[in-house]
Amino acid sequence: VCVKEIYWHEFQVTKNDRQALHGHKSRILWFTGLSGSGKSTIANALEARLHKEGFSTFLLDGDNTRFGLNNDLGFSEEDRKENIRRIGEVCRLMSHAGLIVLASFISPYKEDRSFVRSLAEEDEFIEVYVDCPVEVCEARDPKGLYQKAKKGEIPAFTGISAPYEPPDAPEIIIRSDLEGIDESVKKIVCYLKEKSHL
Ligand code: ADX
């Protein structure tokens, strides 16, 4: 039996102090959607815009974090859960650092996304559903993965042989098959300004 003798420390510099230094609130913009839906492209363009306007940001992306922090994880339901749990904790740390975090992960399970939401403060977590029909993602197939999945070369591929649970009440919905990137970025910036997040 492992008895954990650990205690939480409070440090002198608080989350509020860090937010004040950055001149804005911490936020977690969580992009969820199918592979090829455009999550990372939109998050990338949004980060560039926010950065240019003087906001302190950081972009986390499924493909990249799976090379490092999560390189021990695959795509089983259990591994995806652990992937999102760790990233949720990273988002929480980054929010304590006072950053606007943009997280781009398929995150196919509702339960895992609500776990991340539960780590955040009230109004801090903003779920952006990048909604795009699977046929469109398949036609785009930027990494050729849908083609491989259809041939059975990639098991448990989201949208083909593994489930995707769309959010019930996301803060923002982007129809990436109907809206361009600039339009999507504007929509998110407008939301953030309207809600006084920026
Ligand atoms: S998640 O489901 O655990 O949230 P994550 O966003 O980290 O996934 O990684 C998704 C990326 O991994 C995809 O964009 C794709 O490039 C790649 N990938 C490799 N295998 C799979 C698979 N079986 N299902 C979905 N994406 C996969």
Side-chain angles (χ1 to χ4, degrees), residues 74-77 80 106 108-109 149 152-163:
F75 291 90
S76 65
E77 189 172 341
R80 290 185 204 243
I106 296 179
Y109 299 109
E153 290 169 13
I154 309 176
F157 193 80
T158 309
I160 302 293
S161 44

Side-chain angles (χ1 to χ4, degrees), residues 35-36 39 61-63 65-66 74-75 79-81 83-84 104-108 143 145 154-158 162:
S35 180
K39 301 181 293 299
D61 172 89
D63 284 300
T65 50
R66 280 173 174 279
F75 291 90
D79 279 10
R80 290 185 204 243
K81 183 185 242 357
N83 182 35
I84 299 310
S104 170
F105 294 83
I106 296 179
S107 47
K143 306 169 205 157
L145 296 177
I154 309 176
F157 193 80
T158 309

Side-chain angles (χ1 to χ4, degrees), residues 17-30:
D17 296 332
R18 295 187 201 98
Q19 292 183 119
L21 188 65
H22 289 290
H24 56 78
K25 294 264 186 194
S26 310
R27 291 288 173 251
I28 300 167
L29 286 158
W30 189 273

Side-chain angles (χ1 to χ4, degrees), residues 15-195:
K15 179 175 179 180
N16 275 341
D17 296 332
R18 295 187 201 98
Q19 292 183 119
L21 188 65
H22 289 290
H24 56 78
K25 294 264 186 194
S26 310
R27 291 288 173 251
I28 300 167
L29 286 158
W30 189 273
F31 292 81
T32 175
L34 295 172
S35 180
S37 60
K39 301 181 293 299
S40 297
T41 308
I42 297 165
N44 184 23
L46 177 63
E47 186 186 30
R49 160 96 186 253
L50 294 175
H51 179 80
K52 208 168 142 198
E53 289 188 20
F55 295 97
S56 301
T57 59
F58 199 83
L59 173 52
L60 292 163
D61 172 89
D63 284 300
N64 293 357
T65 50
R66 280 173 174 279
F67 277 106
L69 176 66
N70 292 339
N71 69 3
D72 56 331
L73 301 176
F75 291 90
S76 65
E77 189 172 341
E78 203 187 8
D79 279 10
R80 290 185 204 243
K81 183 185 242 357
E82 177 60 10
N83 182 35
I84 299 310
R85 187 194 69 79
R86 287 185 202 168
I87 296 301
E89 294 291 352
V90 171
C91 286
R92 169 154 63 177
L93 291 171
M94 290 193 168
S95 79
H96 279 264
L99 305 180
I100 297 178
V101 189
L102 300 93
S104 170
F105 294 83
I106 296 179
S107 47
Y109 299 109
K110 280 185 198 170
E111 193 183 74
D112 301 344
R113 297 191 302 262
S114 35
F115 168 73
V116 183
R117 189 187 283 273
S118 78
L119 296 178
E121 284 180 32
E122 181 90 23
D123 290 338
E124 193 172 66
F125 182 88
I126 299 155
E127 191 170 29
V128 183
Y129 175 32
V130 183
D131 184 9
C132 186
V134 69
E135 299 74 32
V136 176
C137 297
E138 236 183 283
R140 288 180 182 162
D141 207 6
K143 306 169 205 157
L145 296 177
Y146 281 94
Q147 213 187 354
K148 283 191 185 165
K150 285 235 144 169
K151 284 197 255 166
E153 290 169 13
I154 309 176
F157 193 80
T158 309
I160 302 293
S161 44
Y164 177 80
E165 300 171 359
D168 292 324
E171 277 72 13
I172 304 172
I173 300 176
I174 303 287
R175 274 297 301 265
S176 71
D177 57 326
L178 305 175
E179 304 165 34
I181 295 162
D182 288 351
E183 202 181 330
S184 306
V185 168
K186 266 190 208 145
K187 191 166 167 181
I188 302 169
V189 170
C190 277
Y191 175 91
L192 295 172
K193 291 201 164 144
E194 250 169 46
K195 300 271 175 183

